[in-house]
Amino acid sequence: MAEPAATPRILRWVDRFLIWTSLSLGGATLAGMTVLSVWNVLIMRKAFNNPIQGAEDVLIVMLVSIVALAIPLGARTGSHIEIEVLESRMSRAFAKWSYLLTKVLSVAVLLIMTWRLWHAGQGAVRFGETTQQLMISYEPFYYLMAVSVFLYAVVLIIEIGQLAQGKAVMRLRTESQTL
């Protein structure tokens, strides 16, 4: 079994950054979505029969932002789905190396995704990729997703380093439970 280790300094810095961005920026975005939804549906639509034009566009891009902010934090807390059907039938050495290889392949895929998302952001204005009513460009949201996916790759690279050293992967935890 892999030995537990102290959390590396870079991982502590990444954890602080991910928690701050996810909770403050994600929380503010979620609060904004809530206020806009309540205002638009309950007050403007139901009370005055005059909904806010383009509110759905704003809600869509806010939702994309929340997802982008949650991706790397989900990676750090171990919230992403892992299927471990065959792990109980593998030897420890084979399980370790297959887990390591899977993470290396995942980093490669995530880096390709980062590159393609960044490239899509560069072409979003040129190809007219916007929301339907307010014509909000998707460009900054492609960049946000690219940075988010890149941070996910960074988290996996740190985990690969931990596994290669024979240490257990240290997940981000609160006082008594995982976030």
Side-chain angles (χ1 to χ4, degrees):
M1 185 170 169
E3 65 181 59
T7 307
R9 183 183 325 160
I10 187 153
L11 207 49
R12 289 192 304 266
W13 183 86
V14 168
D15 289 348
R16 281 195 304 267
F17 176 75
L18 292 178
I19 289 171
W20 183 84
T21 56
S22 297
L23 295 181
S24 61
L25 297 178
T29 305
L30 187 59
M33 284 180 68
T34 303
V35 168
L36 180 60
S37 295
V38 168
W39 184 263
N40 186 40
V41 173
L42 294 180
I43 297 171
M44 296 304 293
R45 185 174 305 227
K46 299 295 181 189
F48 297 117
N49 198 24
N50 187 18
I52 300 170
Q53 294 295 321
E56 292 82 12
D57 287 359
V58 174
L59 289 171
I60 287 169
V61 295
M62 290 174 94
L63 184 59
V64 168
S65 300
I66 288 175
V67 169
L69 292 169
I71 289 172
L73 183 67
R76 243 336 257 130
T77 59
S79 299
H80 297 297
I81 296 171
E82 293 180 5
I83 300 173
E84 301 168 349
V85 175
L86 301 175
E87 187 175 4
S88 62
R89 304 223 187 267
M90 297 179 195
S91 69
R92 276 202 182 132
F94 184 77
K96 174 190 170 187
W97 288 106
S98 66
Y99 194 51
L100 195 63
L101 179 63
T102 303
K103 288 200 178 285
V104 169
L105 292 173
S106 297
V107 167
V109 169
L110 290 171
L111 291 176
I112 291 169
M113 285 175 60
T114 299
W115 166 58
R116 295 307 301 163
L117 283 164
W118 197 267
H119 183 68
Q122 292 172 335
V125 173
R126 185 175 57 227
F127 295 117
E129 295 184 33
T130 62
T131 59
Q132 291 182 6
Q133 295 177 355
L134 297 180
M135 306 298 282
I136 300 169
S137 175
Y138 287 144
E139 180 183 18
F141 303 99
Y142 277 122
Y143 293 144
L144 180 61
M145 287 297 290
V147 170
S148 176
V149 170
F150 179 75
L151 286 174
Y152 187 2
V154 168
V155 167
L156 287 181
I157 289 169
I158 294 169
E159 289 180 3
I160 289 169
Q162 289 176 324
L163 289 172
Q165 295 173 6
K167 299 176 182 173
V169 173
M170 301 299 294
R171 298 283 180 209
L172 178 59
R173 300 179 66 81
T174 58
E175 294 174 17
S176 63
Q177 62 188 26
T178 304
L179 280 177

